[in-house]
Structure formats: structure tokens, C-alpha cells
Amino acid sequence: MQTLTLRCTLKPAPEQAAALEATVRLFAEGCNHALRVAREKGEFRRFSLHRLVYNDLRSMGLSANLAIQAIARVGRKKGSRARFYQPTSAAFDVRTLSLRGESVSLTTTAGRLIVPMKLGNYQRGMLARAKSVQGGVLTKGPKGKWYINLILRLEVPTPPTGGGKVVGLDMGQRYMATLSSGIQVSGGGVKSRRIHLRNKRAEVRSKLDTGRTKGLSALWERLSGKERRFVDHTLHTLAKRIVDSLEPGDTLAIEDLTGLRSRTVKRGKEARHLHNLWPYARFRSLLGYKAALKGVRVVAVDPRDTSKTCSRCGHCDGANRKSQALFRCQRCGYQQNADLNASANIAQRAGSTGAGRRNTAPILGISTLHRPFPKAHAL
Ligand SMILES: [Zn+2]
């Protein structure tokens, strides 16, 4: 079993939106009351806090469940950290949240509401696979949009043993992902769009330094949100492409931790900048759960010298790397697309022969790399 959070946009009718608004307001008031009492009494332990404030919260109009959720929220936080709760979210559990087809049923201050959700294919797929819904968090976005973050429990298949192939994943800049099975995912316009958003943000930041106005602050917030959503979407898509190309029982070998950061030929300012372009930990966790859901194992291997080592004879030499794109072994003459050679090394470190290509792969020109796949998949 695996737990994951699925974010869905809500489409509340106007009177439903008003009820949601009233609910998050009351919930925030409840949290703030519990926080005030907890501070006064120096008591943040959940059970003790419960005794102190539960009745107050109920008389403020919170349902039993929302009262418990408010206490849990305050109780979790250590006194000094929490200052004030904004009326932008409320937590629900299995008794106050359930799914009704493509709608979510929520117990609010105005009673039970059935609010339609706006679902994409990804969300539909996840909901169809979910064993159960463990509750969720209702949130209000900056533009007044409503979202529900559903907490789902999913059955994770046990990967079949034996017979699966081991595929290495190399992550780079020219191609966001290269698999030793031959698949490459190019960043397409992704990199330049990310840089564009970053530069715009930097511009606004420098203006913010000289004088903060409401308009500028709002612009900054908007750009941050835009960039975050763009990054998230890109990483989801990338992880999905990778996992879609694998079968249950396969093993995906990835570089340990450093990944994107570890290998850049260029050391200029731009390259350093790009190192920090993608949140690798986030990507790994996305990849991890998507793989788990498909019955694909993920193993992390030592990332050292994967770009300089010959995947055919094991010779390691910086001179093997003829260019960013091309690998040519100084000892055995093996020539290969540099990213593909690296991904084959990564697969080998996980105990494979790189999806069987190690000895059978002819010396490929870069243009024929994608033979099993007409072209690199652009994101
Ligand atoms: Zn060699």
C-alpha cells in the first residue's frame, strides 16, 4: 500500500463556494483559538490541548471532526513556529470527506456539500486505482480557486521476480532523460521557458529590493506560482514518460542523489545556474511512486564517472568524451551517443548489461540512436 496526495480542482456552485469560504474561516478561527490557549497554557500536547479547547471549538460552531482537526494542526506545531492561521484551508477525514463519482462530498458549516471536481486523465486514473480515500485538505488558491488535496491509498503491485530488464536512466541538460533502452526525452522548449521564468523573477526581485509595492509583490507571487506549477508539471510528465516505457518486473537504475548536479561539461555561469534548475529530490520521489505503482523497482547507483567510462570495455578516461554529444573509447574504439553510453553504465552498475545492448549494439551514429523510436519525445 502506498499513500499519495492527489490535487484536484473543485468547481463549486456560487452558494457552495460561500459555504467553503465560511468553513475555512471558521476552521482558521478554531485553529487560532486553540493556538492562543496552547500558548497561554504552554500546552501543545494534543490530548491535553483537546481537554482545554474542544468544548470551546464546538460552541464556536465547528463540527466534532473539524474541532479535532484544528487541535491536531495546532498540536503538531511547536509553539514558537506557528504564529497565525490564515483562512485558506481546512482538513477533512474519512468521516467528513468521501468521493461521489467525480464529485467530493464534504461536511461543511452549511452541512454536507457535493462539490464537482475538474479531473484530468491523470486524476481519473489515480482515483480509479485508489483503494480508499483517507480524507483530504481543502485549500483556497490566491485567485480564489478551490482545490481538494485528496489523500489516497493505493495498492502497490509486488514486482514479479526474474526476467525483467534493467534499464539505466541518465539525466542531462541536452536531453532531460536518456534510457539505456534507447529512449530519449528531450527538454524541447522546457529549459528555455524555465530560464525565462527565472529571469523575469530576478527582474522583479531587483525592483522589490529598491521599493516594495503591492503590485510588485503580487507579481512576484504570481511568477513564483507559475514557475512552481510549470516545474511540477514538467517533472510529472518526465517521470510518466520514463515509467510508461517500462514493464512490471523491470528495474530502473538511476544515479544516486546528485543526478543532474553531478555531470556538466560546461562549467560556466549558465551551466551552474542550470544545476539548480530542477528539484531532483522531488523528481526522485515522483519517479519512485510512479514506478512502485507499476511494479518497477528503482535502484540508485554510484554516479561517478558514468560519462567518462566505456560501457563496452570499462576503460575510464576523460578523453573518451569527444564532445557533449559523442563518446569514443580511447582503448576499444567504441563510439556511442554520450548520454546513451552513460545510461548503459548506470544500468550495468545495477547489475545488468544495459538492457542487453552492451555487446549487441552496433557502433551507432547519433542520428540512428532513436531507431526503435522515430524521434526523441519532446516534453
Ligand atoms: Zn572501450
Side-chain angles (χ1 to χ4, degrees):
M1 280 290 194
Q2 180 149 355
T3 303
L4 70 92
T5 304
L6 183 71
R7 182 176 159 102
C8 304
T9 307
L10 294 175
K11 295 185 294 184
E15 69 278 9
Q16 290 183 323
L20 297 179
E21 183 74 47
T23 304
V24 294
R25 280 197 182 282
L26 189 61
F27 185 69
E29 278 169 30
C31 289
N32 286 319
H33 174 72
L35 180 64
R36 210 158 39 234
V37 173
R39 281 235 192 82
E40 272 167 27
K41 312 267 181 193
E43 182 58 85
F44 280 87
R45 284 174 301 173
R46 201 184 290 185
F47 291 106
S48 314
L49 192 56
H50 186 101
R51 273 201 299 278
L52 290 170
V53 300
Y54 181 77
N55 288 335
D56 297 352
L57 297 180
R58 294 288 281 137
S59 59
M60 285 168 74
L62 270 82
S63 66
N65 181 258
L66 280 180
I68 290 166
Q69 296 289 341
I71 293 163
R73 195 174 274 199
V74 173
R76 255 206 309 274
K77 296 233 181 183
K78 290 287 165 267
S80 58
R81 280 197 9 228
R83 285 182 205 97
F84 183 74
Y85 292 93
Q86 296 290 343
T88 52
S89 77
F92 295 85
D93 74 2
V94 286
R95 281 161 297 174
T96 51
L97 180 153
S98 59
L99 290 178
R100 296 270 189 283
E102 301 211 339
S103 297
V104 63
S105 166
L106 298 168
T107 303
T108 68
T109 51
R112 200 84 176 174
L113 293 185
I114 311 271
V115 186
M117 296 185 286
K118 187 176 148 195
L119 301 177
N121 286 337
Y122 171 70
Q123 279 111 336
R124 282 203 183 88
M126 282 298 171
L127 288 176
R129 300 193 58 165
K131 280 275 162 212
S132 62
V133 181
Q134 306 284 301
V137 178
L138 170 72
T139 61
K140 188 185 181 187
K143 281 183 193 160
K145 264 195 184 180
W146 291 94
Y147 303 93
I148 187 81
N149 292 299
L150 297 169
I151 301 158
L152 304 179
R153 298 261 292 159
L154 287 96
E155 190 98 64
V156 176
T158 314
T161 47
K165 59 187 183 302
V166 180
V167 176
L169 165 64
D170 176 68
M171 298 188 69
Q173 293 184 17
R174 226 162 35 89
Y175 288 98
M176 293 187 74
T178 298
L179 293 169
S180 59
S181 55
I183 293 176
Q184 287 195 306
V185 182
S186 81
V190 160
K191 194 168 87 177
S192 57
R193 173 146 170 80
R194 183 83 203 275
I195 291 171
H196 171 75
L197 284 171
R198 281 227 153 174
N199 291 345
K200 265 182 105 163
R201 220 144 63 90
E203 211 176 284
V204 175
R205 198 205 319 254
S206 66
K207 282 184 195 159
L208 276 174
D209 286 343
T210 54
R212 191 171 282 262
T213 70
K214 216 170 175 194
L216 271 182
S217 300
L219 180 60
W220 168 262
E221 284 298 316
R222 211 160 54 237
L223 285 172
S224 307
K226 223 178 210 178
E227 190 180 1
R228 195 181 58 245
R229 283 188 300 276
F230 173 71
V231 165
D232 215 57
H233 175 75
T234 303
L235 296 183
H236 257 291
T237 311
L238 181 61
K240 183 177 186 308
R241 287 269 163 80
I242 291 166
V243 172
D244 279 353
S245 78
L246 301 167
E247 298 296 328
D250 286 353
T251 299
L252 178 67
I254 60 173
E255 290 178 295
D256 198 9
L257 280 174
T258 40
L260 277 180
R261 276 149 236 255
S262 70
R263 188 182 325 103
T264 341
V265 171
K266 269 187 271 171
R267 291 281 173 215
K269 195 178 168 202
E270 176 80 338
R272 260 202 324 279
H273 174 69
L274 286 172
H275 279 178
N276 300 316
L277 211 48
W278 303 105
Y280 187 67
R282 167 91 181 121
F283 176 70
R284 249 186 90 161
S285 90
L286 278 175
L287 193 62
Y289 89 68
K290 283 185 203 290
L293 290 174
K294 188 152 185 184
V296 169
R297 286 180 204 82
V298 179
V299 293
V301 303
D302 184 349
R304 269 173 298 174
D305 298 329
T306 50
S307 63
K308 289 189 273 180
T309 303
C310 174
S311 63
R312 184 198 266 170
C313 75
H315 179 60
C316 177
D317 186 344
N320 285 345
R321 191 71 182 261
K322 298 305 282 184
S323 66
Q324 178 87 2
L326 185 66
F327 180 93
R328 189 186 294 143
C329 180
Q330 300 297 296
R331 187 160 78 189
C332 77
Y334 180 61
Q335 184 168 310
Q336 181 59 282
N337 167 289
D339 297 329
L340 193 61
N341 177 67
S343 68
N345 282 324
I346 293 163
Q348 284 174 32
R349 284 177 195 192
S352 139
T353 54
R357 294 181 70 112
R358 185 184 173 190
N359 296 316
T360 53
I363 293 175
L364 295 177
I366 290 159
S367 58
T368 58
L369 169 68
H370 317 297
R371 202 163 26 181
F373 309 94
K375 64 186 174 75
H377 310 255
L379 273 172

